[in-house]
Amino acid sequence: MAISRGLLCCQRVLAWIPVLIITLVVLWSYYAYVVELCVFTIQNGLEKAAYLVIFHLFFVLFVWTYCKAIFTEPAQPSRKFQLSRADRERYERGESPEVQKQILLDAANRLPVYTRTASGAIRYCDRCHLIKPDRCHHCSICETCVLKMDHHCPWVNNCIGFSNYKFFLLFLGYSMLYSLFVAATVLQYFIMFWTGGLPDGPAKFHVLFLLFVAVMFFLSLMFLLNYHCWLVSLNRSTLEAFSAPVFQHGPDKNGFNLGVWKNLQQVFGSQKKYWLLPVFTSVGDGQSFPMKSQSESHNPLLSNDEQWGEGDSDVDYYAATSGNTSVTVEMER
């Protein structure tokens, strides 16, 4: 027991190494840009002031969104998705798979659950002892079920899901802009140092490597951000891109696709003024989602469709709406 506890503690400490690496790189880039470039290298006062103001704007937004992605806890299902003690005891001592299946079916009859396993059974987590809400998955690293789980990202040491997906996207966007601005403003001084236009000194080393690091990060982040923008436009998670969600009528990769505009609102909210700020504005509670598929209105899991609301001609709202190089995906068991 003591050994396993020690291993778990070491695992948790080691999981912070990628975050520490990013933090050290960012701190070095701050010193290299502000001190070595702006203070010691740039002679034009107006240019120096403009660079410092814009740099710090991007830097603050980048650090703010990064911290939000790291420290926002993944949202978990509410207690209503947990089996009652009596149902759990019946399930654990179930005489046959058919009995267990019926127990889950009876419990799910009271919940807004529409997705199934590949075999058509109710999605149940035997670790958290709960019926999984739609788009919810169990993360073996965080050891919990995460609402609308996208992936577990080692670079933020956190699960990306319903509660922090917007923060993760903004972090990618602002870090890309941060890298682009640094690369664009350092380029002319990189050329001057390289061609001998400026005297050798400590600043030369920092400026040369600053450009290489900024370009490398920009290219990596650009591909990753483009991928996630594509996912948002289709209202898919990374997990759903690998394995389409299964509904009553079968797998459907576009089951949650409401159209580009409504898909954007699902993540960023309806008020555009908050879209670029790292404040939570995503639509819903993360436990039930509007679906495009008309055939889901005949889901036998719900004996009374009206209790979850009627849909319009385009989209049925069955419930009320209230990590590549840097992604590690935890697939559903």
Side-chain angles (χ1 to χ4, degrees):
M1 180 66 72
I3 295 178
S4 61
R5 210 174 278 156
L7 289 175
L8 180 61
C9 182
C10 290
Q11 182 182 8
R12 290 177 177 175
V13 171
L14 292 175
W16 285 100
I17 290 180
V19 176
L20 179 61
I21 292 174
I22 294 295
T23 302
L24 292 176
V25 170
V26 170
L27 291 177
W28 167 77
S29 70
Y30 184 90
Y31 167 80
Y33 192 91
V34 173
V35 178
E36 296 294 346
L37 178 68
C38 291
V39 175
F40 294 144
T41 303
I42 299 177
Q43 301 300 319
N44 187 297
L46 184 61
E47 180 184 9
K48 181 184 302 187
Y51 282 4
L52 285 173
V53 169
I54 300 174
F55 172 85
H56 280 93
L57 175 63
F58 285 132
F59 181 81
V60 169
L61 289 171
F62 162 62
V63 173
W64 188 5
T65 53
Y66 189 47
C67 290
K68 293 286 282 187
I70 294 173
F71 297 110
T72 301
E73 293 187 3
Q76 302 171 19
S78 64
R79 293 179 61 87
K80 71 178 182 178
F81 287 90
Q82 294 180 339
L83 289 183
S84 65
R85 177 176 295 183
D87 286 340
R88 180 178 168 184
E89 291 176 353
R90 288 174 54 217
Y91 179 83
E92 291 176 349
R93 67 169 185 264
E95 294 81 6
S96 66
E98 289 73 19
V99 173
Q100 292 180 322
K101 183 177 180 180
Q102 188 59 46
I103 292 172
L104 295 180
L105 192 62
D106 292 340
N109 189 54
R110 302 184 295 270
L111 299 170
V113 177
Y114 296 93
T115 53
R116 308 289 189 88
T117 64
S119 63
I122 303 300
R123 300 193 319 129
Y124 177 73
C125 180
D126 55 9
R127 295 185 183 181
C128 300
H129 306 293
L130 55 79
I131 293 174
K132 295 179 183 179
D134 295 340
R135 316 184 80 176
C136 174
H137 298 271
H138 185 89
C139 177
S140 60
I141 298 177
C142 296
E143 298 181 343
T144 187
C145 282
V146 178
L147 294 179
K148 196 184 177 184
M149 180 177 172
D150 187 86
H151 68 281
H152 186 95
C153 180
W155 298 109
V156 300
N157 190 29
N158 200 3
C159 248
I160 305 302
F162 176 75
S163 61
N164 60 357
Y165 188 55
K166 176 189 174 183
F167 305 147
F168 177 73
L169 291 175
L170 291 178
F171 156 63
L172 294 180
Y174 286 128
S175 55
M176 189 184 74
L177 290 176
Y178 175 79
S179 300
L180 178 62
F181 174 78
V182 170
T185 53
V186 164
L187 179 60
Q188 62 173 320
Y189 295 97
F190 171 88
I191 295 173
M192 293 172 68
F193 273 119
W194 192 261
T195 57
L198 289 173
D200 290 343
K204 180 177 181 179
F205 166 83
H206 292 284
V207 170
L208 295 181
F209 276 90
L210 195 58
L211 181 66
F212 287 128
V213 173
V215 170
M216 179 185 68
F217 271 86
F218 170 76
L219 293 176
S220 300
L221 291 165
M222 180 180 65
F223 288 114
L224 185 58
L225 181 61
N226 284 340
Y227 175 70
H228 278 279
C229 287
W230 175 74
L231 291 177
V232 170
S233 69
L234 298 174
N235 203 354
R236 294 180 198 167
S237 66
T238 300
L239 289 175
E240 291 165 352
F242 280 89
S243 179
V246 180
F247 297 89
Q248 178 66 18
H249 61 281
D252 185 357
K253 62 182 180 181
N254 291 314
F256 297 105
N257 190 347
L258 311 176
V260 175
W261 180 247
K262 289 185 178 180
N263 292 342
L264 286 172
Q265 289 181 320
Q266 287 289 301
V267 176
F268 293 99
S270 57
Q271 299 189 56
K272 296 180 183 178
K273 62 183 178 181
Y274 297 120
W275 279 20
L276 299 181
L277 295 177
V279 293
F280 183 80
T281 54
S282 298
V283 175
D285 58 5
Q287 300 182 129
S288 54
F289 300 89
M291 293 177 289
K292 183 177 182 179
S293 175
Q294 294 286 341
S295 62
E296 287 300 308
S297 62
H298 304 295
N299 194 331
L301 285 180
L302 297 179
S303 58
N304 183 7
D305 289 338
E306 286 73 23
Q307 64 178 318
W308 303 114
E310 295 293 336
D312 56 27
S313 58
D314 295 321
V315 179
D316 282 345
Y317 287 81
Y318 298 104
T321 57
S322 334
N324 118 18
T325 58
S326 62
V327 172
T328 299
V329 174
E330 289 295 315
M331 299 299 291
E332 180 185 0
R333 293 177 295 108

